[in-house]
Amino acid sequence: MTEPASQQMGQQAGAQIEAGSMADQAYAAIEELIVSGTLPPRSFVSEKQISAQLGIGRTPVREALKRLEMDGLVTIVPSRGIMVTEVDVKLQLYVLDVRRELERLIARRAARYALAPERERCRAIAGEMLEAARNGDGMRFMHLDQEVNQLLDQSARNPVATQTIRPLRSLSRRFWFQNYHAHIGSLEDGAKTHADLMLAIHRGDAEEAAAASDRLMAYVEAYARETLRYPFDGPAPQ
């Protein structure tokens, strides 16, 4: 017998949700490979290679790569494949001009609209970031930073702001992670500014959350300018 149209539509919708979920997983996994430097700038990859490495089908990998291209992390090179873009220090300053305003909006909204479990997670993650910094665990810090971004977006409840800021954060995360080891105290400073923001949201203090967000962006901008002055080869001169 032919399945009812409603059942067929339900099955199609379920398949689309699953495909979307797999594409999200592929995006997160590939973005981490790029941000962490496992896939370094100017390296080439293919859908087939990434699919095999992640154990995810080529269709969701293709969708993820399209999103990453829109985010500025990869570019399609005809006849050669997919190239990871270079890290551009000066671009970070333009990114931060835009990101600062959006982050302030998101922080203020998160402080106002976060639910009780989200506020408790903000408090907990503040301590976890400080601990990661004390231990010098950059990879743990990077994972927590991603969770902070997701928690902020979830708590702010503004999908337009979330969609707009996502590619800017990806560019900033890669820039920071691939250079933090060259800046004395950068991990500790980053943890402190993130923790202040998370605790302000935990308390529901919208104005302090906005101020903490501005301090976080000031830290990130100072970091970018220092990297521009003393690029990549080691700590800035004392």
Side-chain angles (χ1 to χ4, degrees):
M1 291 179 61
T2 303
E3 294 178 335
S6 59
Q7 183 175 346
Q8 291 179 348
M9 291 175 64
Q11 291 173 344
Q12 291 171 358
Q16 290 172 352
I17 292 171
E18 182 177 357
S21 177
M22 291 300 295
D24 289 342
Q25 291 179 36
Y27 176 91
I30 300 168
E31 194 244 18
E32 181 170 318
L33 292 174
I34 295 171
V35 167
S36 68
T38 304
L39 291 177
R42 299 192 66 80
S43 63
F44 281 87
V45 294
S46 68
E47 288 178 11
K48 183 178 180 180
Q49 290 171 328
I50 293 292
S51 178
Q53 182 174 351
L54 300 180
I56 298 176
R58 292 182 65 173
T59 297
V61 166
R62 185 178 304 116
E63 291 301 313
L65 288 169
K66 288 179 182 177
R67 287 170 56 186
L68 289 162
E69 184 178 27
M70 292 179 64
D71 290 354
L73 291 176
V74 302
T75 187
I76 308 301
V77 180
S79 303
R80 296 199 62 185
I82 299 128
M83 186 184 78
V84 178
T85 57
E86 294 189 73
V87 176
D88 186 335
V89 182
K90 293 182 180 179
L91 177 64
Q92 294 305 308
L93 300 177
Y94 294 119
V95 166
L96 290 171
D97 273 347
V98 180
R99 189 180 166 200
R100 182 182 295 106
E101 304 303 318
L102 289 171
E103 293 286 9
R104 185 188 303 120
L105 167 68
I106 289 169
R108 188 178 277 119
R109 286 184 60 89
R112 289 172 178 162
Y113 301 123
L115 303 178
E118 294 164 344
R119 294 185 191 280
E120 284 306 306
R121 183 57 190 144
C122 285
R123 182 188 59 77
I125 205 170
E128 291 173 24
M129 293 196 92
L130 293 170
E131 181 181 10
R134 285 194 297 270
N135 294 335
D137 191 341
M139 184 61 73
R140 173 64 174 155
F141 185 91
M142 185 184 76
H143 289 155
L144 289 168
D145 176 67
Q146 182 73 316
E147 186 179 349
V148 164
N149 291 337
Q150 293 168 352
L151 187 56
L152 283 168
D153 293 343
Q154 178 179 312
S155 302
R157 291 171 169 79
N158 186 324
V160 175
T162 296
Q163 184 176 6
T164 304
I165 203 169
R166 187 195 69 212
L168 305 178
R169 283 175 173 162
S170 292
L171 290 169
S172 292
R173 274 163 43 78
R174 178 173 69 155
F175 177 80
W176 185 90
F177 185 81
Q178 294 189 14
N179 296 285
Y180 81 88
H181 59 278
H183 295 263
I184 295 172
S186 62
L187 200 60
E188 294 83 356
D189 292 342
K192 177 65 167 58
T193 52
H194 280 83
D196 287 347
L197 173 58
M198 290 291 97
L199 292 174
I201 294 171
H202 169 69
R203 294 190 301 269
D205 189 334
E207 294 312 308
E208 176 54 30
S213 177
D214 284 346
R215 290 195 297 272
L216 173 56
M217 290 298 100
Y219 153 74
V220 176
E221 180 175 351
Y223 175 93
R225 291 187 181 280
E226 190 73 0
T227 303
L228 183 61
R229 187 179 179 190
Y230 304 111
F232 313 129
D233 293 329
Q238 298 299 300

